[in-house]
Every structure is written in structure tokens, then in C-alpha cells.
Amino acid sequence: MSQYEAVIGLEVHVQIKTDSKMFCSCANRFGGEPNTRVCPVCMGYPGVLPVPNKTAIMRTVAAGLLTNCEIAKFSKFDRKSYFYPDMPKNYQISQYDLPFCLRGNVHIEGEGFSGEDMGSRDIGITRIHLEEDVAKLTHLPGSSGVDYNRAGIPLMEIVSEPDMRTPNEAYAYLNKLKQIMQYAGISDCDMEKGQMRCDVNISVRKVGEEKFGTKIEIKNLNSFRAAHRSLEYEIWRQPQVLDAGGTLNQETRGWNDDRGETYLMRTKESDHDYRYFPDPDLMPVTLEEEDIEKIRATLPELPDAMRQRFVKDYALTEYDAKVLTQEKAIADYFETGVQLVNNPKTLANWIISELLRELSGASISIEECQVSGKQLADMIKLIENNTISGKIAKDVFAEMFKTGKDAPVIVKEKGLEQVTDTGAIEGLVDQAIANNHPQVQQYKDGNHKVIQFFVGQVMKLSKGKANPQMVVKMLKGKLDA
Ligand code: ADP
Ligand code: ZN
Ligand code: MG
């Protein structure tokens, strides 16, 4: 068997977050009763005119700037003609030869990458164009339903160069795009709501060969995991066909998630089948340098930059900074709290190990969490000023997470203040020593590790409330005496 290398390019659709649809004033929202957010424009009635959504155009330009694209000063909308019930006009308004954004790139990092520079690559962006989403079809046994609520929602198509070589690179690229869109508020990229969808293109070639192989497009992938799995499947399937002496035809395949395999959908139609031509109802869009600069001024700090800043400003590890900047909402949460605590690392630990675990256990996002960044920081301050121990804090936090109450309130209600009274601690230490003669002997025989046993005993006696540092100090004093 020959050695093959995969060549991968992605076409990613991202719905833009706006109040209204791309060319009419219907609301841009997910769900609801089918066909309730429609009007003569998005239903393609004759005699009505589309009006472009300025915010959608600005956000497309923002997406282009964030992916290092050149922004076109002159752009236009074209009609992509086809006949299918998901578009009542029998054409989709899209962009053909003059899209808003061209020739960009996205930096990715991760594991399982190809090439010399393992773990870090730039993926070229061919173009980003703006179009309108189409209706959602639901196929039932014996009939099909169509919901035009989605038709006309602003949709970006982000086309990559065939620059990826492994499924992991494609996965990292998708993740990075999602992160960028979320950071900039361009889209929530909720894949379950269809706000981000991707088609993957993949071919294989013999290692060392220049020429690309025949590309296969896999459509309707509704998770990054499905994209990854379908690529792995094709990387297994395509070489088999070639090694058996067969040929691959350019075709579109579907992905069956349950069976874990791709299947033939159709042989691919080419561009001219769509009869693209400029939409006569829409003026070309011209952008001045100052329009672009205005958009540039609104761009947020991106995750990579934020990650580096977290390492530098807060002395966090690369790992911690990476986890915290994975989602903008988490990064913002950290930055709100970090102003209030002494040690940023403590807050980072609490977010990474406790908060994220509780969130995933409850299957909610950080936006839905009842505990704010300030509230968590206030709780950490209670540890820092010795009001509660780190151990008690875990129970306090669990209660905060459940009820949204402030830490000081819970501590007071449940009487969880740390015991720092010397007399009280001494009583407990004496009790622990008196009850455990064999361990006292072990200590005296030189096994000083047994001190941990005594600390445990005292903490138990105090129901976790004794100040651990004081306990250790007092135990040592008494046992060494
Ligand atoms: P089409 O005309 O079929 O739409 P394009 O050239 O526009 O094809 O490319 C569509 C996507 O397929 C792009 O993301 C591109 O990077 C990718 N692509 C193009 N050729 C190949 C290939 N030989 N193997 C893998 N991906 C490819
Ligand atoms: Zn409408
Ligand atoms: Mg194309």
C-alpha cells in the first residue's frame, strides 16, 4: 500500500447575530412556530425590494479584519439561481466574484498537526462572502415540511484554502473560527441551532506528489466531531479505492453519524449551473477607508492575544490561560474577579477546577451561572483573610452555585467561620493527642509524617473549621515538647 496525504479545505457557514434578517425587517431569531417570521420580501413575492442590513455587512467586514483579510472597497450581491423549496425566490442572494473579504488567514495551534512546524500553522482564507440563509426543510415519512423563518437570516460563508492536512487541523481551525466569531459578537455559533455549519472538502494524494487529488465534498456536518470523524473516514476510504485500481470522482457525500460513514449524495454541480448574475434590485456596496477603520476600532482583543496577556499580567501558566480564554465569557468572568483577589492563580484554579466542573455537570453555560465573577472573588477573599478554609470553601461554593447567594451570607447562615481562637484550637489539639497514643509514639520515634494524621483528627473534631496553619503549628509545638 502507498503512503497517502490528505488535503483538506473547509466551507463554513456562520449566521450573523443581528436584530433583523438580511434584506427585510423580519426578526432574526431561532425557533418559534414555523413560518411566523416571514414577509413578502423573504417570501419572494413579486414587486417588493430587498434592503441590505448594514449591521450584517459591518460584522462581515469585522470577521474579515479578524482573519487578516483584505476588505473590498467595492462589492456587490449576485443571484445564485436554483430551484428548490428552501428558497421561495428560486434564487439566493449571495456574492459571486466580488465578496467583502479576500485572502486572509487564521492561526491554529494544537496536536496531531502535519509538517515541520508541528503544532502550529496558518490556514489561508480564500474569501468571506455574505448571503441569505435558506429555509429549513424537515423530512417526515410521506411528507416534508418547510420553515421559512430561517430564510433570509444573514449568513457568512468562510471559504478556506486547501491548507489543512489532518482532521486535527480541521478541528482546530473550526474551533478557532468559532472562538473569533464569539469574541467579536459576530455570532454565537451555536451549532445545535444551526448558527454554524460546515462542509468539508477532502482529497488524498501520494506523499511527495504536488498535484491535488480529486476532491470529495462532505455536506451537512452538524458538529466539529462529525467533521473530524468524516475526515478520518475518507482518509481511510479514498486510498482504498485508489489502491484497488479504482478512480475517485468529484462528488458530494453525506455523513451518517450513527453508522460512522459517508455515503454518496450526488455528483457535484459546477458553478455555471447556478447562472450567477448581479442582483438588479441591489446597489453595489462601496466602503471608504474610514468606514473600514471605524469597524477596525471596534474589534475586540482576540483569544491568542488575551491568552498571552493573561500569562504576562497575571503570571498564569500557558495551560490555565488557554482554558480561561477558550470562551470570551469565561475570560471576562476571570478578569472581573481578578481585580478583587490577591492571587490570580487562586481564582484561575477555582474557575478551572470547580466552576467549569459544576457548569458541565449542570449542562449550562457560564452566562447562565448564578455565581458572578465578583461573587466568586468575594468568596476567595474569605479564604485569603482566613474567614473560611479552602475545604469549607468548596461546600460554600457548591451552595452558591445552587442558590446564587453571596458567600458571606452562606458562611453566616451555616456558621462556617474558621476557628482562629487559640484556646479553642488548643482544646481540640489536646483532645487529638490524648486519643491517639500509638501515633504520638510514632511521632516521637521519628516518623514526623504522622503529623498529617493529627491535622486530620483536629480538622474532623472542628468539623473542618479550624485554621489549618494554626493547627499544624500548635501540634508541632506540643508533640516536639
Ligand atoms: P468548488 O468550485 O467545487 O466549490 P472550490 O475550488 O471553490 O471548489 O473549493 C471549495 C473548497 O474546497 C475550498 O475550501 C477549497 O479549499 C477546497 N478544495 C479545493 N480543491 C481541493 C482539493 N483538491 N482537495 C481538498 N480540498 C479542496
Ligand atoms: Zn422577511
Ligand atoms: Mg466554490
XYZ file of all heavy atoms in Angstrom, residues 84-87 134-140 144-148 150:
137
model
N -35.475 24.975 -5.728
C -35.588 24.045 -4.601
C -36.457 24.732 -3.555
O -36.394 25.964 -3.407
C -34.185 23.756 -4.036
C -34.110 22.506 -3.182
C -34.411 21.253 -3.724
C -33.752 22.585 -1.831
C -34.349 20.120 -2.932
C -33.689 21.442 -1.044
C -33.993 20.212 -1.602
O -33.935 19.091 -0.817
N -37.282 23.980 -2.836
C -38.234 24.651 -1.930
C -37.614 25.445 -0.788
O -38.329 26.173 -0.113
C -39.084 23.507 -1.378
C -38.565 22.259 -1.940
C -37.490 22.535 -2.909
N -36.294 25.314 -0.552
C -35.750 26.080 0.572
C -35.568 27.561 0.242
O -35.220 28.353 1.101
C -34.447 25.446 1.109
C -33.289 25.499 0.120
O -33.433 26.132 -0.951
O -32.252 24.895 0.428
N -35.811 27.947 -1.028
C -35.718 29.356 -1.404
C -36.927 29.732 -2.252
O -37.036 29.304 -3.410
C -34.439 29.595 -2.210
C -33.432 30.476 -1.488
S -34.162 32.043 -1.045
C -33.367 32.352 0.502
N -31.190 29.979 3.905
C -32.360 29.418 3.222
C -33.276 28.757 4.254
O -32.926 28.636 5.423
C -31.922 28.400 2.147
C -31.062 29.083 1.098
C -31.177 27.231 2.779
N -34.448 28.342 3.819
C -35.425 27.749 4.737
C -34.945 26.393 5.244
O -34.045 25.772 4.677
C -36.764 27.587 4.033
N -35.558 25.963 6.321
C -35.197 24.663 6.888
C -36.244 23.638 6.478
O -37.449 23.842 6.676
C -35.174 24.795 8.411
C -34.568 23.611 9.109
C -34.396 23.933 10.590
C -34.186 22.702 11.433
N -33.159 21.786 10.977
N -35.775 22.562 5.891
C -36.695 21.505 5.458
C -36.684 20.374 6.486
O -35.637 20.019 7.015
C -36.258 20.936 4.108
C -36.222 21.905 2.929
C -35.748 21.185 1.670
C -37.604 22.503 2.684
N -37.859 19.851 6.766
C -37.943 18.704 7.659
C -38.634 17.580 6.909
O -39.746 17.760 6.412
C -38.760 19.063 8.921
O -38.214 20.252 9.476
C -38.695 17.953 9.952
N -37.935 16.476 6.792
C -38.494 15.361 6.037
C -39.117 14.346 6.975
O -38.462 13.824 7.873
C -37.416 14.712 5.175
C -36.798 15.685 4.215
N -37.496 16.184 3.127
C -35.589 16.290 4.200
C -36.718 17.038 2.482
N -35.557 17.123 3.119
N -40.398 14.094 6.779
C -41.121 13.115 7.592
C -41.465 11.947 6.683
O -41.390 12.068 5.463
C -42.410 13.745 8.128
C -42.224 15.070 8.878
C -43.539 15.809 8.998
C -41.613 14.811 10.240
N -42.941 16.319 3.597
C -41.853 17.178 4.042
C -42.425 18.527 4.446
O -43.414 18.986 3.878
C -40.830 17.385 2.920
O -40.118 16.193 2.685
N -41.794 19.147 5.447
C -42.243 20.469 5.882
C -41.168 21.488 5.596
O -39.981 21.162 5.529
N -41.596 22.733 5.399
C -40.622 23.788 5.154
C -40.910 24.970 6.076
O -42.056 25.392 6.220
C -40.593 24.194 3.655
C -41.966 24.603 3.160
C -39.582 25.301 3.395
N -39.852 25.464 6.725
C -39.981 26.583 7.661
C -39.142 27.745 7.144
O -37.908 27.685 7.140
C -39.513 26.137 9.056
C -39.541 27.280 10.064
O -40.078 28.364 9.724
O -39.028 27.086 11.186
N -39.854 28.806 6.718
C -39.156 29.959 6.138
C -38.659 30.960 7.184
O -38.142 32.002 6.826
C -40.054 30.659 5.111
C -40.204 29.849 3.838
C -41.361 29.117 3.584
C -39.164 29.784 2.911
C -41.478 28.344 2.443
C -39.275 29.020 1.770
C -40.436 28.294 1.536
O -40.547 27.533 0.406
N -36.109 30.736 8.875
C -34.663 30.841 8.706
C -34.281 31.523 7.389
O -33.172 32.055 7.254
C -34.037 29.438 8.771
C -32.537 29.475 9.030
C -31.945 28.085 9.125
N -31.838 27.454 7.825
C -31.315 26.239 7.605
N -30.868 25.516 8.621
N -31.250 25.724 6.399
